[in-house]
Amino acid sequence: MAAIEIPSPVDHDPIEGPRVRFRPIEERDLPDLLRWLADPEVRRYYGEPPASVAAARADYMEPDVSPCWRFVIELHGRGVGEIQYYHQYAGYQEWTAGIDLFIGEPDARDRGVGTEVVRTMLAYLFEMKRLHRVIIDPEVANRRAIRCYEKAGFRFDGVLRHHAFEHGEYVDTYFMSMLEDEWPEARRRWEAERTR
Ligand SMILES: CC(C)(COP(=O)(O)OP(=O)(O)OC[C@H]1O[C@@H](n2cnc3c(N)ncnc32)[C@H](O)[C@@H]1OP(=O)(O)O)[C@@H](O)C(=O)NCCC(=O)NCCS
């Protein structure tokens, strides 16, 4: 059987939203990425940061085992964090994707930016990529992330026991999802909040 080629995580067009923009990670972003990943709030849920620029490059700019595209989140032209979308399996089940994100600049958290970022990615995945389902799996203890994803319209599917291994411990995560027919209502709420 022919091997499936995993695409580059930085070979993607930018994604434009009404308030935030996602652009593929570039070499010049690596020092910021290292700094963001060392921030205590990010580290708490992302584990130990890469040890060097070379390690960050390997983690964030080079292909992994499944297809994944990684972006710097820009707010008014300033990089404030990272978001990625991925398919669990290369070559099939590409009707579903997962997303992960962090806001690395402390002054950009708790101001609605994360919710705006998630909604912008959902709009892209449902409206441009025409996906059927988007998933996210925050740690059960990460109440802020869970609240953010609920605001964007994600629903709870259940608990994944010991689904992550962070700081030397297995931790439970929620499995949250949105289906394509739930997106129009979530988009209406987003638009209503924007015009308020
Ligand atoms: C999680 C994260 C992406 C959310 O982005 P954000 O911009 O901070 O989130 P928002 O401001 O859009 O929404 C946060 C919501 O959680 C609420 N919140 C904050 N801390 C909370 C807590 N300890 N418990 C419950 N809710 C909390 C806020 O009040 C807000 O809800 P509200 O609008 O109803 O008041 C961001 O905080 C982050 O990157 N954190 C560190 C890394 C991380 O956890 N990444 C996610 C891994 S799954």
Side-chain angles (χ1 to χ4, degrees):
M1 197 173 85
I4 295 174
E5 199 172 318
I6 306 292
S8 163
V10 294
D11 183 12
H12 201 290
D13 287 334
I15 296 172
E16 309 282 347
R19 280 183 61 211
V20 293
R21 176 173 191 265
F22 310 146
R23 59 166 178 77
I25 295 175
E26 297 171 31
E27 185 71 23
R28 65 180 163 112
D29 299 313
L30 294 175
D32 282 338
L33 259 181
L34 277 177
R35 183 168 55 81
W36 294 334
L37 288 159
D39 175 272
E41 292 287 313
V42 177
R43 199 175 183 146
R44 189 165 159 200
Y45 297 109
Y46 271 71
E48 288 308 301
S52 63
V53 167
R57 184 184 303 114
D59 285 357
Y60 283 83
M61 297 186 73
E62 291 169 12
D64 202 343
V65 292
S66 50
C68 171
W69 290 272
R70 299 173 181 274
F71 307 84
V72 167
I73 299 165
E74 280 186 354
L75 177 67
H76 310 306
R78 172 195 181 210
V80 296
E82 191 259 0
I83 185 162
Q84 63 184 48
Y85 78 88
Y86 63 90
H87 297 299
Q88 189 93 47
Y89 306 107
Y92 70 109
Q93 283 200 340
E94 287 183 351
W95 45 267
T96 181
I99 64 176
D100 296 301
L101 70 146
F102 61 77
I103 309 289
E105 296 291 350
D107 67 357
R109 290 196 284 259
D110 282 325
R111 292 173 40 214
V113 177
T115 309
E116 184 71 20
V117 165
V118 170
R119 287 166 155 166
T120 299
M121 184 57 96
L122 288 169
Y124 173 74
L125 294 175
F126 284 123
E127 296 172 14
M128 308 302 287
K129 297 283 288 183
R130 294 280 163 206
L131 296 192
H132 175 65
R133 185 185 72 157
V134 179
I135 64 160
I136 197 157
D137 58 354
E139 290 184 25
V140 166
N142 195 349
R143 307 312 302 181
R144 172 167 57 190
I146 292 160
R147 173 77 191 124
C148 168
Y149 308 150
E150 276 187 289
K151 280 196 296 178
F154 275 95
R155 298 193 188 179
F156 290 96
D157 289 5
V159 173
L160 299 171
R161 295 184 304 148
H162 289 194
H163 187 60
F165 185 78
E166 301 290 358
H167 307 292
E169 284 187 354
Y170 294 106
V171 289
D172 295 345
T173 73
Y174 282 120
F175 195 93
M176 302 175 77
S177 67
M178 189 185 295
L179 305 181
E180 61 177 327
D181 62 357
E182 294 162 352
W183 170 242
E185 176 55 27
R187 181 183 244 293
R188 267 192 294 279
R189 272 189 284 121
W190 181 25
E191 282 165 8
E193 283 175 32
R194 269 215 311 269
T195 52
R196 211 180 280 158

